[in-house]
């Protein structure tokens, strides 16, 4: 398997690890610890500048694993802002998928809110879905590769 790992501690109480599987054309991000709108926004911008800027990675699907997240402090305004920031790395000629993996009911609800806001942002070229099962999330992401 052709993979690379990029670790990026984000703020004091949150960390994020990105694994890029070039063979599967998949970026897996695991978030750990407390999350706020500011820490997520900072981490997202860092991800866009370090990973999504790569022309190769712009065509990869993404799995964001929030199953280890705790201490959530997010508002509806934070979710709208994150959707706008995330859309900035979308390419107009590329459509990819983003699977959000969650464990808690609270994070599930927030993830569904994010999906709703993100899909309303003009110029969005990403299909999003929320999952409680890693197996189901990976199956959905790989189905897109089979359709290509």
């Amino acid at each position: 398997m052709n993979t690379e790992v990029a670790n990026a501690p984000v703020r004091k109480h949150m960390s994020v690890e990105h694994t890029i599987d070039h063979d599967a054309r998949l970026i897996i991000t695991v978030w750990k610890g407390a999350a706020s709108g500011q820490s997520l926004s900072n981490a997202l911008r860092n991800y866009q500048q370090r990973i999504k800027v790569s022309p190769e990675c712009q065509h990869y699907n993404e799995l964001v694993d929030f199953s280890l997240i705790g201490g959530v402090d997010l508002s509806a305004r934070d979710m709208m802002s994150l959707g706008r920031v995330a859309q900035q790395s979308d390419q107009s000629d590329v459509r990819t998928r983003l699977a959000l993996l969650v464990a808690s009911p609270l994070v599930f609800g927030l993830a569904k809110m994010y999906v709703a806001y993100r899909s309303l942002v003009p110029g969005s070229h990403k299909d999003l879905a929320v999952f409680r099962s890693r197996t189901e999330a990976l199956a959905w992401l790989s189905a897109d590769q089979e359709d290509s």
Side-chain angles (χ1 to χ4, degrees):
M1 176 169 36
N2 185 7
T3 63
E4 59 186 271
V5 175
N7 296 320
V10 179
R11 292 188 137 229
K12 183 177 171 185
H13 304 296
M14 187 175 177
S15 68
V16 62
E17 179 180 298
H18 305 286
T19 303
I20 304 169
D21 184 338
H22 295 285
D23 293 335
R25 300 171 45 95
L26 179 65
I27 302 168
I28 299 173
T29 300
V30 178
W31 301 79
K32 297 177 184 175
S36 68
Q38 186 63 47
S39 64
L40 286 169
S41 182
N42 290 344
L44 179 57
R45 283 187 173 93
N46 184 43
Y47 169 75
Q48 289 172 324
Q49 294 167 359
R50 291 181 52 237
I51 296 173
K52 284 302 277 191
V53 71
S54 162
E56 184 177 57
C57 290
Q58 292 172 1
H59 295 267
Y60 290 6
N61 286 328
E62 300 159 275
L63 170 66
V64 180
D65 183 346
F66 286 114
S67 63
L68 301 175
I69 209 163
V72 178
D73 181 18
L74 294 165
S75 67
R77 184 179 305 259
D78 291 331
M79 302 310 277
M80 286 188 281
S81 176
L82 287 167
R84 285 191 300 272
V85 170
Q87 182 274 334
Q88 293 172 2
S89 67
D90 285 1
Q91 302 298 311
S92 61
D93 59 338
V94 177
R95 185 147 202 102
T96 58
R97 288 184 170 187
L98 169 64
L100 302 172
L101 179 63
V102 302
S104 78
L106 172 63
V107 178
F108 182 84
L110 289 169
K112 293 295 267 186
M113 183 187 305
Y114 172 77
V115 168
Y117 285 134
R118 176 76 160 83
S119 64
L120 294 174
V121 175
S124 180
H125 295 280
K126 193 172 296 279
D127 297 320
L128 294 95
V130 181
F131 297 90
R132 293 179 192 220
S133 160
R134 185 180 188 91
T135 302
E136 290 176 12
L138 289 171
W140 181 73
L141 291 167
S142 67
D144 176 61
Q145 296 298 324
E146 294 165 7
D147 294 342
S148 303

